[in-house]
């Protein structure tokens, strides 16, 4: 969960390893029915079991515990959850997270009845913006897409906020508890072992917890120490600042997320507004 396992990823691997990830269908998520410039055209592994079995045959990018590198670790953990829980990963999330927290608009496969609510995702190329995944003809209506741990879950801003509210509530919303307070505190703390290199990465100069960046070196006007959160490939961003009692999320729907400064400046804008 800290992206220091040494596993690769189809957007971070290079050369022969990238070719192997593409050949084995080890994708991190689907974004469009049309080919995306710069990304290989890949037929995804049919199941999480196949995904995990195939990635186990490939070499690592780094010696475990030496380098932070965004990876397929969360996807492999989805398969681990299937084995431990005895149920499919998507059903586990529905049973243990979505239903208890009242998250009624969270899907790996968006039902036809919900398509009028699904927004279009845009690609940015230079100064041009173009529809990459239309809401009414979204690839997220396909039942063949994998329920990956690292990408592909579609939800409403309200549902995302319910999850953040649970984290801010130390594992509970009101009387409904899905995690122990000590579990949440551990997950939102810096879990990187000493010596893990982060220079030049998305975790540069900060800590990393269970799937999210942890602020250990605050910047003026930005998040305080202990703030936990992460962003998405299509310019979404969310965080919980437990010290100040703040949670915030933003959704912009364009790729790549660094094409415009929305996510980079989001936290600073939130705190400035407060």
């Amino acid at each position: 969960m800290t992206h220091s396992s040494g596993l690769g990823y189809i957007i971070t691997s290079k050369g022969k390893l990238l070719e192997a990830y593409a050949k084995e269908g080890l994708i991190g998520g689907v974004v469009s029915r049309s080919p995306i410039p710069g990304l290989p055209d890949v037929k995804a592994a049919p199941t999480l079991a196949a995904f995990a079995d195939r990635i186990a045959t490939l070499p690592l990018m780094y010696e475990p515990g030496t380098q932070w590198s965004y990876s397929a670790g969360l996807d492999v953990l989805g398969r681990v959850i299937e084995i431990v829980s005895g149920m499919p990963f998507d059903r586990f999330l529905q049973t243990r997270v979505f239903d208890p927290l009242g998250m009624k608009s969270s899907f790996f496969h968006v039902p036809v009845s919900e398509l009028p609510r699904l927004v279009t995702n845009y690609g940015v190329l230079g100064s041009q913006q173009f529809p990459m995944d239309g809401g009414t003809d979204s690839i997220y209506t396909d039942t063949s897409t994998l329920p990956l741990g690292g990408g592909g879950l579609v939800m409403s801003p309200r549902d995302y906020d319910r999850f953040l509210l649970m984290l801010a509530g130390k594992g509970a919303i009101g009387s409904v508890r899905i995690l122990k307070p000590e579990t949440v505190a551990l997950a939102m703390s810096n879990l990187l072992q000493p010596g893990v290199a982060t220079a030049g990465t998305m975790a540069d100069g900060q800590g990393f917890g269970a799937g999210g960046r942890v602020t250990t070196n605050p910047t003026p006007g930005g998040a305080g120490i202990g703030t936990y959160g992460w962003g998405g490939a299509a310019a979404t961003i969310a965080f919980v600042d437990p010290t100040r009692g703040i949670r915030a999320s933003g959704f912009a729907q364009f790729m790549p997320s660094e094409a415009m400064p929305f996510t980079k400046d989001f936290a600073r804008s939130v705190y400035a507004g407060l």
Side-chain angles (χ1 to χ4, degrees), residues 19-45:
E19 293 176 12
Y21 267 68
K23 179 182 177 182
E24 298 295 344
L26 303 177
I27 63 172
V30 294
V31 295
S32 175
R33 299 186 190 280
S34 303
I36 304 299
L39 293 180
D41 187 14
V42 178
K43 181 180 179 181

Side-chain angles (χ1 to χ4, degrees), residues 239-273:
F239 64 85
V240 174
D241 182 340
T243 302
R244 299 173 180 170
I246 294 170
R247 69 183 192 275
S249 51
F251 308 85
Q253 297 302 112
F254 62 81
M255 299 178 75
S257 61
E258 62 271 16
M260 290 180 271
F262 174 72
T263 57
K264 180 176 181 292
D265 295 338
F266 179 76
R268 190 176 294 108
S269 298
V270 168
Y271 288 107

